[in-house]
Amino acid sequence: MKFWKSNKTQRNTEELLKEVNNSKPEELENLLQKVEEEIKKSDDKNADLLTVKTIITSRLASIKK
């Protein structure tokens, strides 16, 4: 299921979620920074990117208990 078309500056949500699921805990912070940069670049609010950001943040919070 794809939520938006992928181009040079955007990856589709499916790819981002796969990367989140396959990332090691130490890689999640870098991935979070990438997602935040993409959110800043986008002209409008992208709910899919915000969802991915929430997932990463939640995982980081659960790891750092």
Side-chain angles (χ1 to χ4, degrees):
M1 178 186 311
K2 294 183 181 180
F3 295 101
W4 73 75
K5 291 181 181 177
S6 183
N7 61 29
K8 289 182 181 179
T9 59
Q10 282 183 330
R11 293 182 293 174
N12 66 36
T13 304
E14 184 177 335
E15 290 172 354
L16 283 171
L17 291 174
K18 282 182 184 178
E19 190 171 345
V20 169
N21 288 331
N22 295 327
S23 294
K24 296 178 182 177
E26 56 272 2
E27 297 171 342
L28 287 175
E29 290 184 30
N30 292 332
L31 187 57
L32 180 60
Q33 289 176 352
K34 289 180 187 177
V35 170
E36 287 176 341
E37 289 174 8
E38 288 187 34
I39 290 171
K40 288 179 185 177
K41 288 180 186 177
S42 64
D43 295 333
D44 55 347
K45 283 191 176 182
N46 188 323
D48 298 327
L49 284 175
L50 294 174
T51 301
V52 172
K53 180 181 174 183
T54 303
I55 292 169
I56 295 170
T57 305
S58 298
R59 289 201 181 166
L60 286 171
S62 67
I63 291 170
K64 293 182 180 182
K65 279 188 176 181

